[in-house]
Every structure is written in C-alpha cells, then in structure tokens.
Amino acid sequence: SQTIHQWPATLVQPVGSPLSLECTVEGTSNPNLYWYRQAAGRGLQLLFYSVGIGQISSEVPQNLSASRPQDRQFILSSKKLLLSDSGFYLCAWSLITDTQYFGPGTRLTVL
Amino acid sequence: AQSVTQLGSHVSVSEGALVLLRCNYSSSVPPYLFWYVQYPNQGLQLLLKYTSAATLVKGINGFEAEFKKSETSFHLTKPSAHMSDAAEYFCAVSEGGTSYGKLTFGQGTILTVHP
C-alpha cells in the first residue's frame, strides 16, 4: 500500500530564516506530487505541482520554491521566511487524473 | 477555469439528525468531483469521489453524494449525524483527464455536531 510522509510535523521559525519541508511517498512510482498551503480561513491553496523528476509548476508567485530531486521526494523551500508564510502545509500525491492522497501536514509558524 | 462554491462555512446539527453540506461547481469539461474530510491538525481524507459513473456515490462513514449535472451540484449527505463527524469538509473539482489531476477546492464547511 502507498503511504506519504511529511516532516517536520511542526516548525517555528523566525522571520528571514530559511525553510525546508520534505515530503516522501512510498509504494508507488512516478506519482504527481503537490504542495498546498492552508492559511486560517482561506481554504487550500495549490502552491506547486510536479509530474516528474525535476519538473515543477508554480501556481502562485511567492516567496517559496519547490524541487523534486527523486521520483518520490518533494521539497518545499524558502531562502527568507515572511510572516505571511505561516500556515499548514500539505503534500499530496496522485496518479494521473485520479484521487489525491494527502500527507499529515506541517504546521509552520513564522515569528 | 473550474471553481467550487460551498454554501455555508459553518453547519451545526444535532446528533442523529440529517447532515447536508452543499457544493456547487463550475467546469468547462465533464468534471471529476470529490469530498474530503479534515480533522484538526491532520491531512485531508477522501470521503468519496464521482468520476462519471453512477450519479449517486457512496463513501466512507455512511456519507453519500449525488451528482446533478443540471444543477451543477454535488451535495454531501448523511442520514444520521454522529459526534465523530465533527470536522471540516472540502468539496473539490478536477477537470478529469485534462489537467494532470489538479484539484480546485472550495473554502470548506465546518460541521459541528451537538449532543
């Protein structure tokens, strides 16, 4: 069966510090991968998606970037965090045109 | 472009009462439709999905939803609410087969269940 992992589970970072969130998927090959952000009262916002290694599509211009160095690894990064980057970050995977399956999420607080 | 509107950001019901969460969508191609549930500080869990087969879709935990093309709706129902149903529910639409599985989510509906 497939599983998806995210870490860390929670993170508190000062403004201006760098960020690296990791997502890994087990039990499937060549999945589509997604990063979402969930801010209070704002629903889910798709940030990035990837259909293969090294292929990243950005949905919203912002202070964040994503990379996919391996087939089942998806990383969300920032060089300098802003207060507005606080939120709940969710990674998801799917096979083409099928259901998205979500990880447990990372709660990021920027102070 | 596709969009989803969930009517009612908060819904409150009594335990044992009918649950009805409303979702209307807009899509330029035949859609795939999904309902997800999210418990506090957790990821989203799939409740059910519609992918152009039967219009009445049954999901987990006793939930079901009916696809009505003429009304562009995909409302979620459960005959009898349980305390454990208290959570946030998200409706989502995908332009099935044309957009690499990208989902557009509604703003969510928080369901409260009173004893």
Side-chain angles (χ1 to χ4, degrees):
Chain A
S1 64
Q2 300 89 4
T3 55
I4 178 169
H5 304 279
Q6 287 187 244
W7 64 87
T10 61
L11 191 60
V12 180
Q13 292 285 93
V15 169
S17 63
L19 172 73
S20 181
L21 303 181
E22 189 166 344
C23 170
T24 59
V25 180
E26 298 176 353
T28 188
S29 296
N30 196 30
N32 291 342
L33 295 172
Y34 310 83
W35 277 113
Y36 291 87
R37 177 169 58 203
Q38 196 174 19
R42 297 186 61 182
L44 281 89
Q45 180 184 36
L46 178 63
L47 302 176
F48 301 94
Y49 71 94
S50 171
V51 300
I53 296 174
Q55 297 179 351
I56 307 295
S57 296
S58 175
E59 290 290 300
V60 181
Q62 60 211 321
N63 187 42
L64 302 170
S65 62
S67 62
R68 184 171 178 174
Q70 300 180 41
D71 180 45
R72 291 168 290 177
Q73 184 185 31
F74 206 23
I75 296 173
L76 184 70
S77 303
S78 173
K79 293 182 178 178
K80 291 185 177 181
L81 283 169
L82 306 172
L83 286 173
S84 58
D85 292 324
S86 292
F88 193 50
Y89 288 82
L90 290 161
C91 181
W93 71 273
S94 74
L95 298 177
I96 291 176
T97 74
D98 207 344
T99 307
Q100 288 188 21
Y101 298 95
F102 286 79
T106 295
R107 174 75 59 190
L108 172 65
T109 303
V110 182
L111 301 175
Chain B
Q2 54 198 12
S3 65
V4 175
T5 302
Q6 291 184 238
L7 299 176
S9 58
H10 290 80
V11 171
S12 180
V13 301
S14 298
E15 192 173 20
L18 171 72
V19 175
L20 171 60
L21 304 182
R22 300 178 186 273
C23 172
N24 288 89
Y25 71 90
S26 171
S27 178
S28 57
V29 299
Y32 290 178
L33 293 159
F34 305 81
W35 276 101
Y36 286 86
V37 60
Q38 185 181 31
Y39 298 98
N41 293 310
Q42 296 185 25
L44 276 69
Q45 179 183 6
L46 179 70
L47 277 177
L48 49 81
K49 64 180 179 181
Y50 166 79
T51 56
S52 74
T55 56
L56 182 62
V57 181
K58 294 187 182 298
I60 62 171
N61 301 338
F63 284 94
E64 64 181 35
E66 186 173 8
F67 172 69
K68 292 187 177 181
K69 182 178 179 180
S70 61
E71 299 177 8
T72 60
S73 69
F74 190 57
H75 302 330
L76 181 71
T77 61
K78 181 174 180 177
S80 178
H82 191 274
M83 297 295 290
S84 61
D85 295 326
E88 189 164 16
Y89 293 79
F90 291 92
C91 182
V93 62
S94 166
E95 293 181 354
T98 63
S99 60
Y100 300 102
K102 288 197 298 179
L103 295 179
T104 299
F105 285 87
Q107 290 297 302
T109 298
I110 296 173
L111 176 66
T112 302
V113 182
H114 297 286

PDB file of all heavy atoms in Angstrom, chain B residues 2 28 40-42 44 46 74-75 79 86 90 96 102-103 105 113:
ATOM      1  N   GLN B   2     -12.116  26.114 -13.678  1.00  0.00           N
ATOM      2  CA  GLN B   2     -13.057  25.432 -12.800  1.00  0.00           C
ATOM      3  C   GLN B   2     -13.130  26.156 -11.463  1.00  0.00           C
ATOM      4  O   GLN B   2     -12.182  26.843 -11.063  1.00  0.00           O
ATOM      5  CB  GLN B   2     -12.613  23.986 -12.579  1.00  0.00           C
ATOM      6  CG  GLN B   2     -11.181  23.863 -12.085  1.00  0.00           C
ATOM      7  CD  GLN B   2     -10.618  22.461 -12.276  1.00  0.00           C
ATOM      8  OE1 GLN B   2     -11.204  21.648 -12.973  1.00  0.00           O
ATOM      9  NE2 GLN B   2      -9.494  22.173 -11.667  1.00  0.00           N
ATOM     10  N   SER B  28     -15.612  23.542 -17.365  1.00  0.00           N
ATOM     11  CA  SER B  28     -15.823  23.633 -18.809  1.00  0.00           C
ATOM     12  C   SER B  28     -15.824  22.257 -19.470  1.00  0.00           C
ATOM     13  O   SER B  28     -16.186  22.135 -20.636  1.00  0.00           O
ATOM     14  CB  SER B  28     -14.743  24.507 -19.447  1.00  0.00           C
ATOM     15  OG  SER B  28     -13.458  23.988 -19.150  1.00  0.00           O
ATOM     16  N   PRO B  40      -8.910  18.244  12.969  1.00  0.00           N
ATOM     17  CA  PRO B  40      -7.935  19.264  13.387  1.00  0.00           C
ATOM     18  C   PRO B  40      -6.493  18.781  13.328  1.00  0.00           C
ATOM     19  O   PRO B  40      -6.173  17.688  13.804  1.00  0.00           O
ATOM     20  CB  PRO B  40      -8.378  19.581  14.818  1.00  0.00           C
ATOM     21  CG  PRO B  40      -9.848  19.307  14.817  1.00  0.00           C
ATOM     22  CD  PRO B  40     -10.031  18.126  13.921  1.00  0.00           C
ATOM     23  N   ASN B  41      -5.666  19.614  12.694  1.00  0.00           N
ATOM     24  CA  ASN B  41      -4.223  19.360  12.592  1.00  0.00           C
ATOM     25  C   ASN B  41      -3.882  18.041  11.896  1.00  0.00           C
ATOM     26  O   ASN B  41      -2.850  17.423  12.196  1.00  0.00           O
ATOM     27  CB  ASN B  41      -3.576  19.410  13.968  1.00  0.00           C
ATOM     28  CG  ASN B  41      -3.616  20.807  14.545  1.00  0.00           C
ATOM     29  OD1 ASN B  41      -3.230  21.770  13.889  1.00  0.00           O
ATOM     30  ND2 ASN B  41      -4.127  20.929  15.767  1.00  0.00           N
ATOM     31  N   GLN B  42      -4.743  17.622  10.985  1.00  0.00           N
ATOM     32  CA  GLN B  42      -4.472  16.430  10.195  1.00  0.00           C
ATOM     33  C   GLN B  42      -4.584  16.740   8.715  1.00  0.00           C
ATOM     34  O   GLN B  42      -5.093  17.795   8.325  1.00  0.00           O
ATOM     35  CB  GLN B  42      -5.437  15.298  10.571  1.00  0.00           C
ATOM     36  CG  GLN B  42      -5.292  14.799  11.993  1.00  0.00           C
ATOM     37  CD  GLN B  42      -6.182  13.599  12.263  1.00  0.00           C
ATOM     38  OE1 GLN B  42      -6.552  12.856  11.353  1.00  0.00           O
ATOM     39  NE2 GLN B  42      -6.521  13.400  13.527  1.00  0.00           N
ATOM     40  N   LEU B  44      -5.969  15.766   4.754  1.00  0.00           N
ATOM     41  CA  LEU B  44      -7.312  15.518   4.224  1.00  0.00           C
ATOM     42  C   LEU B  44      -7.479  14.039   3.905  1.00  0.00           C
ATOM     43  O   LEU B  44      -6.577  13.401   3.372  1.00  0.00           O
ATOM     44  CB  LEU B  44      -7.548  16.340   2.949  1.00  0.00           C
ATOM     45  CG  LEU B  44      -8.000  17.773   3.136  1.00  0.00           C
ATOM     46  CD1 LEU B  44      -6.891  18.622   3.723  1.00  0.00           C
ATOM     47  CD2 LEU B  44      -8.482  18.356   1.809  1.00  0.00           C
ATOM     48  N   LEU B  46     -10.008  11.257   1.930  1.00  0.00           N
ATOM     49  CA  LEU B  46     -11.054  11.147   0.922  1.00  0.00           C
ATOM     50  C   LEU B  46     -12.293  10.479   1.499  1.00  0.00           C
ATOM     51  O   LEU B  46     -12.225   9.399   2.086  1.00  0.00           O
ATOM     52  CB  LEU B  46     -10.551  10.329  -0.264  1.00  0.00           C
ATOM     53  CG  LEU B  46     -11.555  10.112  -1.382  1.00  0.00           C
ATOM     54  CD1 LEU B  46     -11.808  11.424  -2.131  1.00  0.00           C
ATOM     55  CD2 LEU B  46     -11.081   9.028  -2.346  1.00  0.00           C
ATOM     56  N   PHE B  74     -23.122  18.910  -6.151  1.00  0.00           N
ATOM     57  CA  PHE B  74     -22.587  17.643  -5.653  1.00  0.00           C
ATOM     58  C   PHE B  74     -22.674  17.710  -4.131  1.00  0.00           C
ATOM     59  O   PHE B  74     -21.681  17.758  -3.432  1.00  0.00           O
ATOM     60  CB  PHE B  74     -21.149  17.457  -6.135  1.00  0.00           C
ATOM     61  CG  PHE B  74     -20.577  16.077  -5.891  1.00  0.00           C
ATOM     62  CD1 PHE B  74     -21.201  14.949  -6.396  1.00  0.00           C
ATOM     63  CD2 PHE B  74     -19.392  15.909  -5.180  1.00  0.00           C
ATOM     64  CE1 PHE B  74     -20.666  13.684  -6.186  1.00  0.00           C
ATOM     65  CE2 PHE B  74     -18.848  14.650  -4.972  1.00  0.00           C
ATOM     66  CZ  PHE B  74     -19.485  13.533  -5.476  1.00  0.00           C
ATOM     67  N   HIS B  75     -23.891  17.724  -3.618  1.00  0.00           N
ATOM     68  CA  HIS B  75     -24.109  17.878  -2.181  1.00  0.00           C
ATOM     69  C   HIS B  75     -23.808  16.594  -1.424  1.00  0.00           C
ATOM     70  O   HIS B  75     -24.109  15.496  -1.887  1.00  0.00           O
ATOM     71  CB  HIS B  75     -25.554  18.296  -1.901  1.00  0.00           C
ATOM     72  CG  HIS B  75     -25.956  19.576  -2.573  1.00  0.00           C
ATOM     73  ND1 HIS B  75     -25.065  20.595  -2.856  1.00  0.00           N
ATOM     74  CD2 HIS B  75     -27.170  19.990  -3.040  1.00  0.00           C
ATOM     75  CE1 HIS B  75     -25.692  21.587  -3.443  1.00  0.00           C
ATOM     76  NE2 HIS B  75     -26.963  21.247  -3.576  1.00  0.00           N
ATOM     77  N   PRO B  79     -27.526  10.389   6.653  1.00  0.00           N
ATOM     78  CA  PRO B  79     -28.856  10.351   7.273  1.00  0.00           C
ATOM     79  C   PRO B  79     -28.858  10.684   8.766  1.00  0.00           C
ATOM     80  O   PRO B  79     -29.785  11.318   9.255  1.00  0.00           O
ATOM     81  CB  PRO B  79     -29.315   8.905   7.039  1.00  0.00           C
ATOM     82  CG  PRO B  79     -28.489   8.407   5.904  1.00  0.00           C
ATOM     83  CD  PRO B  79     -27.178   9.105   6.026  1.00  0.00           C
ATOM     84  N   ALA B  86     -17.896  15.519  13.421  1.00  0.00           N
ATOM     85  CA  ALA B  86     -17.485  16.911  13.573  1.00  0.00           C
ATOM     86  C   ALA B  86     -16.092  17.096  12.988  1.00  0.00           C
ATOM     87  O   ALA B  86     -15.121  16.463  13.427  1.00  0.00           O
ATOM     88  CB  ALA B  86     -17.501  17.303  15.041  1.00  0.00           C
ATOM     89  N   PHE B  90     -14.355  19.465   2.692  1.00  0.00           N
ATOM     90  CA  PHE B  90     -13.986  20.193   1.487  1.00  0.00           C
ATOM     91  C   PHE B  90     -14.515  19.474   0.248  1.00  0.00           C
ATOM     92  O   PHE B  90     -14.336  18.269   0.092  1.00  0.00           O
ATOM     93  CB  PHE B  90     -12.462  20.299   1.364  1.00  0.00           C
ATOM     94  CG  PHE B  90     -11.821  21.181   2.388  1.00  0.00           C
ATOM     95  CD1 PHE B  90     -11.365  20.650   3.583  1.00  0.00           C
ATOM     96  CD2 PHE B  90     -11.695  22.544   2.165  1.00  0.00           C
ATOM     97  CE1 PHE B  90     -10.772  21.457   4.539  1.00  0.00           C
ATOM     98  CE2 PHE B  90     -11.095  23.359   3.116  1.00  0.00           C
ATOM     99  CZ  PHE B  90     -10.641  22.822   4.299  1.00  0.00           C
ATOM    100  N   GLY B  96     -11.230  16.203 -15.140  1.00  0.00           N
ATOM    101  CA  GLY B  96     -10.757  14.845 -15.274  1.00  0.00           C
ATOM    102  C   GLY B  96     -10.085  14.563 -16.605  1.00  0.00           C
ATOM    103  O   GLY B  96     -10.673  14.749 -17.656  1.00  0.00           O
ATOM    104  N   LYS B 102      -5.056  18.072 -11.211  1.00  0.00           N
ATOM    105  CA  LYS B 102      -5.104  19.236 -10.325  1.00  0.00           C
ATOM    106  C   LYS B 102      -6.521  19.428  -9.798  1.00  0.00           C
ATOM    107  O   LYS B 102      -7.484  19.363 -10.540  1.00  0.00           O
ATOM    108  CB  LYS B 102      -4.661  20.492 -11.064  1.00  0.00           C
ATOM    109  CG  LYS B 102      -3.176  20.549 -11.346  1.00  0.00           C
ATOM    110  CD  LYS B 102      -2.735  21.950 -11.687  1.00  0.00           C
ATOM    111  CE  LYS B 102      -3.408  22.476 -12.923  1.00  0.00           C
ATOM    112  NZ  LYS B 102      -2.994  23.856 -13.250  1.00  0.00           N
ATOM    113  N   LEU B 103      -6.604  19.688  -8.521  1.00  0.00           N
ATOM    114  CA  LEU B 103      -7.895  19.900  -7.881  1.00  0.00           C
ATOM    115  C   LEU B 103      -8.085  21.366  -7.524  1.00  0.00           C
ATOM    116  O   LEU B 103      -7.143  22.033  -7.098  1.00  0.00           O
ATOM    117  CB  LEU B 103      -8.017  19.071  -6.607  1.00  0.00           C
ATOM    118  CG  LEU B 103      -8.014  17.554  -6.737  1.00  0.00           C
ATOM    119  CD1 LEU B 103      -8.129  16.910  -5.362  1.00  0.00           C
ATOM    120  CD2 LEU B 103      -9.149  17.098  -7.628  1.00  0.00           C
ATOM    121  N   PHE B 105     -10.320  23.444  -4.821  1.00  0.00           N
ATOM    122  CA  PHE B 105     -11.081  23.197  -3.607  1.00  0.00           C
ATOM    123  C   PHE B 105     -12.029  24.348  -3.291  1.00  0.00           C
ATOM    124  O   PHE B 105     -11.745  25.519  -3.587  1.00  0.00           O
ATOM    125  CB  PHE B 105     -10.138  23.031  -2.414  1.00  0.00           C
ATOM    126  CG  PHE B 105      -9.435  21.709  -2.378  1.00  0.00           C
ATOM    127  CD1 PHE B 105      -8.246  21.522  -3.056  1.00  0.00           C
ATOM    128  CD2 PHE B 105      -9.964  20.644  -1.667  1.00  0.00           C
ATOM    129  CE1 PHE B 105      -7.593  20.293  -3.035  1.00  0.00           C
ATOM    130  CE2 PHE B 105      -9.325  19.424  -1.632  1.00  0.00           C
ATOM    131  CZ  PHE B 105      -8.140  19.244  -2.319  1.00  0.00           C
ATOM    132  N   VAL B 113     -21.435  19.003  15.560  1.00  0.00           N
ATOM    133  CA  VAL B 113     -22.492  18.077  15.953  1.00  0.00           C
ATOM    134  C   VAL B 113     -22.744  18.229  17.446  1.00  0.00           C
ATOM    135  O   VAL B 113     -21.840  18.033  18.263  1.00  0.00           O
ATOM    136  CB  VAL B 113     -22.115  16.622  15.624  1.00  0.00           C
ATOM    137  CG1 VAL B 113     -23.271  15.686  15.998  1.00  0.00           C
ATOM    138  CG2 VAL B 113     -21.765  16.468  14.151  1.00  0.00           C
TER     139      VAL B 113
END
